């Protein structure tokens, strides 16, 4: 037996290691393992295609920690070719957009930029690390404490094994975006260019030309209703001309295609530039929206200066975050100053901003003057901002906003008993408009119909031309516990608070978050944690209740509803086979109405064997819906089952089934239809044709009886209604080291049954024939292409 062992060691040694990922079964048999274990290793490689780490061997029966220690010097883990280049990861990060409570598009763009120019982790600050994917304050503090203690991180293995307190998720979020030395580059100029073309961009709010026609007919036939509501002839004519202009614009949109060009250039490590051009083929002119910036980094005490278009996020985002997206139920935030190369229409800042660091103190100042889209009243005052796609000419650039402000922060790490990562800050924001704001519900709400726009979330909007906000924020981390928060106050307005805490261990984390936004805290740059948008679930969602159906875009305005609530969230790996992937409870109150709501959601994953994962998710939501007389209640139940299989050659198969139902309070309006429901089934298959060429095929079918559903695709979330079927095919090809191509085809067919119409006596079509039940069909075929060129 001793001679056999000596022979095996002589066969594979530290100087002559076995490339296990490309090994034959005969090669594996020469390792110091028995024949059964060798067969298990070979079967694992056939199933998964490769080992990503030497520690993957521990998943194989027969490999103990002692045996792993014996095998380590004999085995070499080769890397896939594409892992040597970060270009392929550009589209991997875009897939993060297709996840529940995922990051915004602006954050994904920042991550993609870091792939090209990674962060030197040995010089990183807590703020730098918090920018990265899935990195918590505790993870960032753990790395900085290790570096402050004299440690140095020279590889990913060091990062994973030497930093105490760094979670698995934190490590995975850092590894693609960091480097370990400041290696000098011979090419001083480097950058990347992207062109993205879409035949249909998938607008959130689409107004059909027939809805404008119906609105024009209403204002012509119900003139008496308008006059009774106090409208003058001039005001009625104002809305008639407005609807005519929008109807004409919408009818002429024969082509919804868009093309977006983005260019990033960097000279050395301190100077970089960016440019963005958006082309809308349904608008006249070759060039549409244009954005650009120039930035200087790390110039003495100056950390960053930007001139041009920029994005800015402070604290927890309740005083200032000018991202156009507000994603509900997102716990982690990323703050800082960035160049803005996104279609951030309505909130983009244009001017200059800079950050200076002197010892423990840091100061950020900014100035911006940019045009905004808004709804004008007949007297040329502003009713409210609006973010509409398409941008109707009646909204576009009718307002100019000037923003100034600053942020002062102090790093208190290591002062006395204060731990690393402790920081306090204070901020101020001043906004001045070129027009007077005068929100008036009567200029939005259709007079004489069954509903009235009486929601205090709209009625309590402020007036005037100027707004002033003050805020303070803090954070600290003690061992495996962190605490963060922000408070903001509006001059002549209300307050906003947000406090969150986190504790994490190797297999468990718990998040707790409290927030409160007063009804009269009206800050259009507030992107704090919330359950609902400010105008969501109001009359503003219903085009047939509004004078102008284009006003429904207000329902998507990214500002939290006035609410107060507590959220508790956890993830817990109970065993290798069972994991609670995410579970949370959120109890909140709509402060405008005093209505209470509750949302509970949990997902558990079971892995019966390696390569197979089953996930079951259950959501229960209790909602109190404010009404003019008596509030109603609803109970929503949603069950989802997902089966995920890892196949050979890194192929991946996912099947998802969901069933949802909402029970409503019976009313005269709904009759016996006291519930709505929706179901779907979806299948996705990812296949690698080669290490550089891959594809994803997805199919789905759904049935909705009044309840819309949302489905994941490769890099987006799609909302569906009615009854229908869709498929998509996405192809990714890394043509060369510097060229990456993405192509997607998508076909979606939706049927919308219109039933019960024959029971309406006296209702006829225009030619006099009685109305009968019918099914309308919408068929959309889209093509998306993206080309990334890096040098």
């Amino acid at each position: 037996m001793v001679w056999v062992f000596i022979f095996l060691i002589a066969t594979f040694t530290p100087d002559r290691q076995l490339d296990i990922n490309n090994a034959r079964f005969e090669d594996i048999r020469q390792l110091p393992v028995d024949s059964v274990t060798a067969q298990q290793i070979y079967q694992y490689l056939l199933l998964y295609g490769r080992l990503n780490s030497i520690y993957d061997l521990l998943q194989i029966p027969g490999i103990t920690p002692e045996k792993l220690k014996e095998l380590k010097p004999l085995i070499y883990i080769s890397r896939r070719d594409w892992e040597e280049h970060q270009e392929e990861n550009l589209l991997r990060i875009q897939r993060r957009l297709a996840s529940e409570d995922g990051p915004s598009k602006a954050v994904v763009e920042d991550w993609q930029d870091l792939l090209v120019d990674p962060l030197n982790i040995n010089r990183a600050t807590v703020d730098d690390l918090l920018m990265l994917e899935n990195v918590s304050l505790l993870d960032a503090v753990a790395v900085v404490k290790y570096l402050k203690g004299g440690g140095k991180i020279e590889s990913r293995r060091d990062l994973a094994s030497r930093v105490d307190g760094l979670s698995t998720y934190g490590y995975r979020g850092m590894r693609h975006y960091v480097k370990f030395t400041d290696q000098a580059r011979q090419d001083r100029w480097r950058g990347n260019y992207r062109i993205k073309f879409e035949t249909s961009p998938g607008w959130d709010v689409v107004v059909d030309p027939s809805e404008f026609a119906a609105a024009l007919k209403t204002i012509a036939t119900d003139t008496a209703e308008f006059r009774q509501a106090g409208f003058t002839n001039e005001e009625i004519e104002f809305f008639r001309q407005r609807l005519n202009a929008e109807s004409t614009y919408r009818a002429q949109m024969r082509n919804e295609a868009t093309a977006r060009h983005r260019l990033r250039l960097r000279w050395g490590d301190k100077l970089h530039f960016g440019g963005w051009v958006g082309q809308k083929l349904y608008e006249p002119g070759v060039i549409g929206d244009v954005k650009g910036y120039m930035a200087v980094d790390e110039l003495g005490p100056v950390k960053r200066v930007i001139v041009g278009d920029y994005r800015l996020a402070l604290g927890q985002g309740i005083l200032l975050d000018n991202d156009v997206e507000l994603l509900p139920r997102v716990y982690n935030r990323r703050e800082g100053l960035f160049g803005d190369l996104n279609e951030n229409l309505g909130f983009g800042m244009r001017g200059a901003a800079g950050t200076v660091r002197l010892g423990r103190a840091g100061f950020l100042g900014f100035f911006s003057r940019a045009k905004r889209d808004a709804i004008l009243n007949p007297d040329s005052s502003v009713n409210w901002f609006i973010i509409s796609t398409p941008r109707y000419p009646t909204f576009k650039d009718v307002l100019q906003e000037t923003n100034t402000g600053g942020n002062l922060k102090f790093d208190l790490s290591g002062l006395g008993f204060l731990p690393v990562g402790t920081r306090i800050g204070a901020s101020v924001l001043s906004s001045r408009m070129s027009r007077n704001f005068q929100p008036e519900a009567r200029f939005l709400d259709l007079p004489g119909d069954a509903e009235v726009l009486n929601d205090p979330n709209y009625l309590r909007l402020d007036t005037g031309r100027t707004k002033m906000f003050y805020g303070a924020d803090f954070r600290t981390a003690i061992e495996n516990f962190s605490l963060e928060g922000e408070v903001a106050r509006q001059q002549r307005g209300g307050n906003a608070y947000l406090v969150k805490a986190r504790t994490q261990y190797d297999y468990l984390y718990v998040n707790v978050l409290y927030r409160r936004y007063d009804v009269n805290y009206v800050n259009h740059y507030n992107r704090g944690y919330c359950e609902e948008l400010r105008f969501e679930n109001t009359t503003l969602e219903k085009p047939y209740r509004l004078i102008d159906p284009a006003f429904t875009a207000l329902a998507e305005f990214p500002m939290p509803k006035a609410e107060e609530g507590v959220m508790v969230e956890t993830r817990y790996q109970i065993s290798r086979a069972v994991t609670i992937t995410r579970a949370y409870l959120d109890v909140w109150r709509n402060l405008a109405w005093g209505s209470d709501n509750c949302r509970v959601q949990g997902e558990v994953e079971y892995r019966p064997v390696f390569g197979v994962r089953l996930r079951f998710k259950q959501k229960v939501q209790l909602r109190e819906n404010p009404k003019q007389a008596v509030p109603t209640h609803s109970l929503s139940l949603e069950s989802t089952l997902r089966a995920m299989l890892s196949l050979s050659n890194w192929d991946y198969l996912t099947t998802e089934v969901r069933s949802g139902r909402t029970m409503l309070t019976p009313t005269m309006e709904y009759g016996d239809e006291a519930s709505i429901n929706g179901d779907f089934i979806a299948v996705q298959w990812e296949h690698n044709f080669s290490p550089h060429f891959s594809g994803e095929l997805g199919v789905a079918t759904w049935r909705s009886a009044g309840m819309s559903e949302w489905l994941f695709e490769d890099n987006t979330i799609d909302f569906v209604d009615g009854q229908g079927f869709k498929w998509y095919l996405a192809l990714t090809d890394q043509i060369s080291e510097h060229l990456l191509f993405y192509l997607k085809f998508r076909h979606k067919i939706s049927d919308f049954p219109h039933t019960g119409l024959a029971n309406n006596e006296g209702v006829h079509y225009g030619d006099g024939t009685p109305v009968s039940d019918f099914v309308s069909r919408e068929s959309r075929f889209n093509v998306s292409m993206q080309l990334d060129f890096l040098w």
Side-chain angles (χ1 to χ4, degrees), residues 593-595 623-634 665 667:
W593 292 95
S595 58
R623 182 186 295 275
E624 184 176 348
N625 306 301
K627 296 293 182 181
Q628 194 166 359
V630 179
T632 61
H633 298 80
S634 64
T665 302
T667 63

Side-chain angles (χ1 to χ4, degrees), residues 47 67 71 97 129 142 167 194 196 256 327 338 384 472 509 518 541 589 606 690 710 727 729 751 776 784:
L47 179 62
K67 177 60 69 175
L71 292 173
L97 294 170
L129 295 172
S167 69
R194 169 181 296 170
K196 185 173 184 179
E256 298 179 1
L327 303 175
F338 318 94
W384 190 248
Y509 75 71
D518 290 345
E541 287 187 331
R589 166 169 288 190
Y606 174 56
S690 73
W710 46 272
W727 64 268
L729 174 64
D751 292 333
S776 61
S784 300

Side-chain angles (χ1 to χ4, degrees), residues 398-449:
V398 300
L399 173 70
Q400 184 168 270
E401 180 183 20
T402 302
N403 290 303
T404 56
N407 169 259
L408 184 63
K409 56 188 177 185
F410 293 93
D411 183 5
L412 305 180
S413 300
L415 289 180
F417 62 90
L418 296 175
V420 173
T422 303
R423 191 194 73 185
I424 60 173
S427 305
V428 62
L429 167 64
S430 171
S431 295
R432 181 172 180 82
M433 316 300 171
S434 61
R435 293 177 185 263
N436 188 55
F437 270 63
Q438 191 62 48
E440 290 192 42
R442 75 185 188 98
F443 289 139
L444 304 179
D445 194 11
L446 186 67
D449 66 350

